[in-house]
Amino acid sequence: MAEQDNVFRGGQGQVVEAETFRDSVGTMDQSGKRKWVFPRKPSGRYTNYRTIVAVFLLALFFILPFIRINGNPFLLVNVVERHFYIFGQPFYPQDFFILALGAITSIVFIILFTVVFGRIFCGWICPQTIFLEMVFRKIEYAIEGDRNKQMRLDRQEWNYEKIWKRALKWSIYIVISLIITHWMFMYIVGYQEVFDMIKEGPLTNFTSFLVMIIFTASFYFTFAWFREQVCTLVCPYGRLQGVLIDKQTINVYYDFKRGENRAKWRKGEDRAAAGKGDCIDCNQCVVVCPTGIDIRDGQQLECVNCTACIDACDEVMVKTGLPPGLIRYATEDEIEKELPFKYTTRTKAYTVVLALMIGFLGFLLYNRNPVEAKFIKPAGSSFFVRDSKITNTYNYTFLNKSNRDAVLTIKVLEPANGEISLSQTNKIKIKKGDITKGTVNISFPQKDIKLSKQNISIGVYDENGKLLDTFKTYFEGPFKLQF
Ligand code: SF4
Ligand code: SF4
């Protein structure tokens, strides 16, 4: 990297102090004041691909809350009431370890993905980038025009044109922020609840209304003003890049070997013979960058891999008759040492860990009991003897995690000869997603109880006789001397 930095920074063959650009943030001046970025509207091959991906992801975001599987929401994360549905499968706080493992697996996946593909997530999938670049920025271009018109509008005083353009833009931003907030709430409480709240009005649901206002204001602040600062200053994923990427990671790179010595374009000139590189120093890759950096300085934390500079430079290359790809997806080794992409030991190790975790997660999901049963002895309770039988009382709790109502029966699995007696019938009805509690007596013939405390196993069955869950607990009997 050092060689690369020494070469590019000056341009025109000059060499200036290495990495000085890393001492400052591209979107701040020396006094720490925000430098507003007016990126030129990107266009080209990658912008088209990204638009298709963004449209697909936005459609998914707006459709998913209405999709139901077996009557359950496809995705619901109700942290307040602790209801979770993922792919239509209900999850409960009791499944916390599965959710935690799922979260850890996702983090490992992101790490592995970043090691190999750099910040592709930031440029192509991250909601911040998609909403900012594909929704809010597009509205800005439609109302205020491209970069130069936006800069002119920004400089001019508050005349009629500036007032109506800004008022229209900000009003639309508020409406979109409101829409995003409502949809986000659908992922938390469900779409029906959100529609009901809208019908009932803000005064009936004042707390929810306040929360909505706070979130709408946050989205508005983020997309109207804070913008790329989320990626360059706040996002922890962005900050992790320094430790995750290496010289074999695919990223957006400027081919400095090909591009330097950069020099302005002169028609008809043989640049190779004149000792000039392919970069014509047109600055198009800089003005198009939404984070305000110069990719020719090398890989920087601010780069969200949005590919806008690739498209901008390719357009210039095509116009000048030079081969495209001066800025492209590549690895640092590919640019510096002309080495092809390699699947490194570190990448292999991450893949193995990830595969194991996904396998284990799948195993846990597949073997998740549809009913969770617990039998707890009430505090201070002991045994009682009646009709030559020793009886213990247990409080039971059943959670029906399945997608249907169930009728449960209980049996003692070990040791044999145990008898169950419930207050009314040995059949317990439980609706899907419900928790039911009650009391059960378990008795054994007096002669079978040899220990004052002995382990027992209780099984819970469905109406078809299928064992749904087992629970191990202990059974108390009279103290007997053992010889
Ligand atoms: S340097 Fe290029 S890829 Fe990186 S953020 Fe700027 S325009 Fe996007
Ligand atoms: S767009 Fe390409 S040619 Fe123009 S300055 Fe950037 S790297 Fe050089």
Side-chain angles (χ1 to χ4, degrees):
M1 191 69 129
E3 179 201 340
Q4 175 186 352
D5 293 322
N6 278 330
V7 175
F8 335 130
R9 272 306 283 171
Q12 308 282 3
Q14 291 172 297
V15 174
V16 295
E17 203 141 307
E19 310 234 355
T20 49
F21 66 95
R22 296 199 195 278
D23 298 340
S24 59
V25 179
T27 51
M28 265 182 214
D29 66 17
Q30 286 301 314
S31 66
K33 203 165 159 244
R34 172 91 176 268
K35 270 199 269 173
W36 193 263
V37 181
F38 296 95
R40 208 198 75 194
K41 192 175 176 181
S43 64
R45 187 165 57 118
Y46 283 106
T47 306
N48 293 343
Y49 293 151
R50 281 181 61 225
T51 307
I52 294 168
V53 173
V55 168
F56 172 73
L57 292 176
L58 285 170
L60 214 58
F61 174 73
F62 287 109
I63 290 169
L64 275 189
F66 303 98
I67 293 180
R68 302 188 88 80
I69 296 176
N70 296 324
N72 295 329
F74 183 84
L75 181 65
L76 189 98
V77 189
N78 190 339
V79 277
V80 184
E81 291 175 14
R82 296 186 294 170
H83 288 164
F84 307 96
Y85 290 89
I86 300 168
F87 297 116
Q89 286 299 309
F91 289 87
Y92 299 87
Q94 289 82 349
D95 297 315
F96 179 77
F97 70 103
I98 297 182
L99 295 175
L101 193 70
I104 294 169
T105 308
S106 313
I107 292 169
V108 175
F109 181 83
I110 289 170
I111 291 172
L112 170 67
F113 197 82
T114 309
V115 169
V116 183
F117 298 106
R119 289 181 83 169
I120 275 191
F121 171 83
C122 300
W124 293 72
I125 300 166
C126 175
Q128 161 73 16
T129 312
I130 289 183
F131 275 111
L132 177 59
E133 302 303 330
M134 297 294 171
V135 179
F136 287 85
R137 194 94 73 186
K138 286 214 183 313
I139 292 163
E140 193 162 64
Y141 289 132
I143 296 171
E144 296 187 356
D146 210 340
R147 170 184 160 84
N148 291 341
K149 286 186 178 165
Q150 284 182 24
M151 289 166 80
R152 183 182 56 77
L153 188 77
D154 191 61
R155 277 194 305 267
Q156 78 190 37
E157 50 187 53
W158 283 92
N159 56 10
Y160 174 72
E161 185 201 8
K162 187 164 177 172
I163 290 171
W164 83 255
K165 282 188 173 172
R166 287 282 159 93
L168 178 64
K169 180 177 86 172
W170 290 335
S171 307
I172 296 174
Y173 280 6
I174 290 171
V175 173
I176 295 176
S177 302
L178 260 173
I179 293 172
I180 296 174
T181 306
H182 280 76
W183 252 262
M184 197 192 77
F185 266 67
M186 287 183 195
Y187 283 98
I188 298 172
V189 295
Y191 74 90
Q192 198 53 57
E193 191 82 7
V194 172
F195 287 155
D196 289 346
M197 279 194 256
I198 295 169
K199 265 190 238 155
E200 287 161 8
L203 290 180
T204 319
N205 304 286
F206 194 67
T207 312
S208 306
F209 175 70
L210 270 185
V211 175
M212 285 235 184
I213 295 296
I214 291 168
F215 272 94
T216 303
S218 310
F219 285 130
Y220 178 81
F221 169 77
T222 302
F223 294 117
W225 190 80
F226 205 49
R227 297 192 159 192
E228 76 290 339
Q229 306 283 303
V230 172
C231 313
T232 57
L233 299 179
V234 180
C235 176
Y237 179 60
R239 309 274 72 72
L240 275 176
Q241 299 306 307
V243 288
L244 291 181
I245 64 169
D246 59 19
K247 285 172 181 261
Q248 281 97 39
T249 303
I250 298 170
N251 259 316
V252 175
Y253 275 103
Y254 163 68
D255 187 342
F256 68 94
K257 284 201 162 170
R258 202 190 120 188
E260 303 301 324
N261 181 20
R262 71 184 77 159
K264 295 286 179 201
W265 174 251
R266 283 208 196 130
K267 215 171 170 194
E269 182 187 34
D270 184 346
R271 290 179 71 85
K276 294 175 182 174
D278 279 356
C279 173
I280 65 164
D281 208 12
C282 62
N283 225 31
Q284 289 308 302
C285 52
V286 181
V287 296
V288 84
C289 177
T291 60
I293 58 167
D294 186 343
I295 190 69
R296 295 172 300 168
D297 287 335
Q299 193 39 235
Q300 293 152 75
L301 283 182
E302 292 94 327
C303 175
V304 293
N305 273 232
C306 74
T307 69
C309 55
I310 300 182
D311 278 343
C313 189
D314 278 353
E315 194 185 333
V316 174
M317 293 295 109
V318 169
K319 278 184 187 159
T320 51
L322 294 163
L326 180 56
I327 301 173
R328 63 178 184 272
Y329 275 122
T331 65
E332 205 174 315
D333 271 352
E334 196 183 326
I335 301 276
E336 277 188 13
K337 301 177 195 156
E338 288 161 34
L339 291 173
F341 173 69
K342 225 172 59 199
Y343 204 54
T344 60
T345 312
R346 181 164 67 140
T347 314
K348 284 177 198 160
Y350 278 144
T351 310
V352 170
V353 171
L354 185 65
L356 287 175
M357 289 182 90
I358 289 175
F360 187 52
L361 192 65
F363 173 79
L364 288 178
L365 285 174
Y366 184 74
N367 289 291
R368 201 172 69 117
N369 291 334
V371 167
E372 192 166 305
K374 275 195 175 68
F375 294 85
I376 308 291
K377 279 175 77 63
S381 75
S382 187
F383 65 92
F384 59 90
V385 184
R386 193 188 293 154
D387 302 334
S388 306
K389 285 180 184 166
I390 300 173
T391 302
N392 278 203
T393 301
Y394 297 85
N395 289 337
Y396 67 78
T397 308
F398 298 142
L399 166 63
N400 184 358
K401 300 183 195 171
S402 72
N403 277 322
R404 60 181 185 87
D405 301 346
V407 181
L408 307 176
T409 50
I410 311 168
K411 285 181 198 162
V412 177
L413 299 175
E414 261 182 65
N417 299 336
E419 284 174 18
I420 296 283
S421 60
L422 284 153
S423 52
Q424 289 166 352
T425 156
N426 191 16
K427 294 203 184 302
I428 302 158
K429 287 184 183 163
I430 179 167
K431 286 191 184 319
K432 70 171 186 176
D434 262 8
I435 291 178
T436 189
K437 295 181 181 204
T439 306
V440 63
N441 285 335
I442 296 181
S443 313
F444 285 92
Q446 221 169 344
K447 62 178 174 47
D448 289 349
I449 297 302
K450 306 267 189 310
L451 301 168
S452 58
K453 208 171 191 183
Q454 93 173 53
N455 293 332
I456 63 166
S457 174
I458 307 164
V460 177
Y461 294 80
D462 69 6
E463 56 275 29
N464 301 317
K466 187 180 171 208
L467 181 64
L468 301 177
D469 196 15
T470 55
F471 191 84
K472 287 186 170 41
T473 180
Y474 65 92
F475 188 91
E476 281 185 21
F479 181 75
K480 288 181 184 171
L481 284 174
Q482 302 283 323
F483 296 103

